[in-house]
Amino acid sequence: MFFHSKELQYNARVSKPDPRFARLLLEQFGGGNGELKAAMQYFVQAFSCKNAYPDKYDLLMDIATEEFSHLEIVGATIQMLLSGVNGELKNAAESLEMMDPMEGKGAKENYIHQALYNSQFCVLTGGGPSVTDSNGTPWTGAYVNANGDLTVDLRSNIAAESRAKIVYEYLIKFTDDEYVKDTLRFLMTREITHFQQFEAALDTIQPNFPPGILQGDPRYSNLYFNMSPEESATGPWNQGCSSRLGEEWQNIDELKEYVEATNGLTDMEPTGTERTQDTVKNMDRELARARSKEVKSATPTENIQWSAYKDEEEKVEQEVPADCL
Ligand code: MN
Ligand code: MN
């Protein structure tokens, strides 16, 4: 269950309203790399690992809850940046000054004009945040990556934190408001923190590469296909040993000829690796058995209950107020 604290996690402030930046900041409210996406992604991922990995369930729920707190900070900042819009709209009986071309370019007129950079602020949300990105595209659950396997999900999260971080970095360039910059720096920094927390959590699961269970086919795991007629650039991605499996890279320069000579890559033996079809098959079987047991042994199939509560005798007796008797 959730509690709501009336104070924000960070003391978000703005020097003065700025509807144009409010629109840009929507990117981190309802955008594809924003706080709602992060919160929902970790929240949804947590359910599937509750039984077998209760420590990671805790981590995911804690960070999800912090991301909701970030969403709150971003929403509050957008609202502060739009201060005045709603009040002006409530002045329903009067026409907006900005509509009168004879009124000149007063400060308020100019300000409301800026709010029109996002028409939704004016004619839909009435001067508050909307669950959209900065272009008004509605938030979607399709932003959420949750695949029921922590070696996959935690990597999705490391990628998500990287993207959230760079969007804050870009946003900082578009405001001169020192208060807003402070808030953005705080939010950006927390994504750096989360990156490391997810990476550390991934390290606690061994083996964690390749993602998932199956080890792949040793005939193909160390092939580098040069896909152009010219020579390919070289680097650790095609020279020496591969980073995780420690296999020697095999460069295939004449791909068409190679594919034809191997009957479409089917008549060939693994090279540059000690792994064979048999060792891989054994590892698949062992890891599948271990992981499946890990989850099954921790997952009841009858009388299923999510939470443990205090014992009956420990329960506090409810006092019924005398007036109600
Ligand atoms: Mn965040
Ligand atoms: Mn984060």
Side-chain angles (χ1 to χ4, degrees):
M1 71 176 105
F2 290 86
F3 288 95
H4 182 254
S5 224
K6 290 173 183 61
E7 298 81 22
L8 294 177
Q9 183 192 12
Y10 181 84
N11 186 8
R13 289 168 284 184
V14 311
S15 305
K16 56 180 189 314
D18 181 357
R20 278 183 290 192
F21 192 70
R23 174 182 172 172
L24 288 184
L25 193 51
L26 271 179
E27 198 60 40
Q28 293 294 60
F29 193 77
N33 303 303
E35 300 293 355
L36 181 59
K37 173 248 160 67
M40 287 307 296
Q41 180 157 310
Y42 312 151
F43 185 67
V44 170
Q45 287 175 356
F47 294 115
S48 66
C49 71
K50 166 82 157 61
N51 291 316
Y53 303 96
D55 52 343
K56 264 67 100 182
Y57 174 82
D58 258 11
L59 170 76
L60 287 165
M61 280 298 185
D62 274 348
I63 300 185
T65 307
E66 182 177 353
E67 303 294 12
F68 279 117
S69 306
H70 294 178
L71 184 70
E72 188 181 28
I73 292 168
V74 172
T77 303
I78 291 169
Q79 190 68 50
M80 289 188 283
L81 290 168
L82 291 171
S83 295
V85 174
N86 190 261
E88 194 55 40
L89 289 170
K90 295 296 178 213
N91 196 0
E94 303 293 329
S95 62
L96 292 174
E97 281 179 19
M98 56 168 295
M99 296 305 199
D100 183 355
M102 305 307 287
E103 278 284 321
K105 295 242 178 277
K108 187 165 69 173
E109 175 186 337
N110 188 34
Y111 164 64
I112 293 172
H113 192 75
Q114 286 179 21
L116 282 172
Y117 274 88
N118 182 352
S119 53
Q120 292 201 349
F121 287 154
C122 292
V123 295
L124 185 67
T125 71
S130 55
V131 193
T132 69
D133 67 14
S134 55
N135 274 327
T137 309
W139 190 87
T140 161
Y143 295 152
V144 172
N145 296 113
N147 298 95
D149 188 304
L150 281 173
T151 64
V152 176
D153 285 349
L154 291 168
R155 286 187 168 93
S156 293
N157 301 352
I158 291 167
E161 295 292 342
S162 309
R163 293 194 296 263
K165 194 264 180 183
I166 196 69
V167 173
Y168 278 121
E169 198 171 311
Y170 293 150
L171 279 168
I172 287 169
K173 290 198 172 296
F174 290 95
T175 177
D176 294 324
D177 188 321
E178 286 305 322
Y179 282 143
V180 174
K181 280 188 183 199
D182 282 346
T183 301
L184 297 180
R185 270 192 293 264
F186 166 75
L187 293 168
M188 181 189 78
T189 304
R190 293 304 298 164
E191 315 308 11
I192 299 169
T193 310
H194 296 160
F195 182 112
Q196 299 174 90
Q197 291 170 327
F198 288 132
E199 205 169 48
L202 180 62
D203 277 348
T204 66
I205 301 165
Q206 293 297 338
N208 64 36
F209 190 87
I213 309 287
L214 300 177
Q215 299 302 301
D217 192 320
R219 291 177 297 177
Y220 311 132
S221 48
N222 59 359
L223 302 185
Y224 183 85
F225 295 126
N226 178 5
M227 303 303 279
S228 62
E230 297 83 21
E231 227 172 83
S232 279
T234 57
W237 53 86
N238 58 11
Q239 304 290 308
C241 288
S242 62
S243 57
R244 305 285 178 143
L245 297 176
E247 302 172 322
E248 200 184 340
W249 290 115
Q250 308 293 308
N251 282 257
I252 311 296
D253 292 323
E254 308 292 338
L255 181 59
K256 191 169 158 18
E257 289 76 358
Y258 191 84
V259 164
E260 279 165 4
T262 56
N263 193 27
L265 303 178
T266 56
D267 291 340
M268 55 182 284
E269 291 299 320
T271 43
T273 176
E274 282 168 6
R275 304 194 308 154
T276 65
Q277 301 285 16
D278 282 343
T279 60
V280 157
K281 216 174 276 172
N282 281 339
M283 208 176 158
D284 282 350
R285 216 177 289 127
E286 269 172 42
L287 191 58
R289 207 178 291 140
R291 289 279 158 83
S292 174
K293 195 176 152 210
E294 202 168 32
V295 176
K296 279 183 181 166
S297 65
T299 309
T301 51
E302 52 186 17
N303 298 322
I304 308 165
Q305 182 170 318
W306 195 257
S307 301
Y309 300 94
K310 284 184 178 175
D311 291 331
E312 285 299 315
E313 56 264 32
E314 280 185 48
K315 274 185 188 163
V316 184
E317 276 206 10
Q318 293 246 325
E319 271 184 43
V320 182
D323 291 355
C324 299
L325 292 173

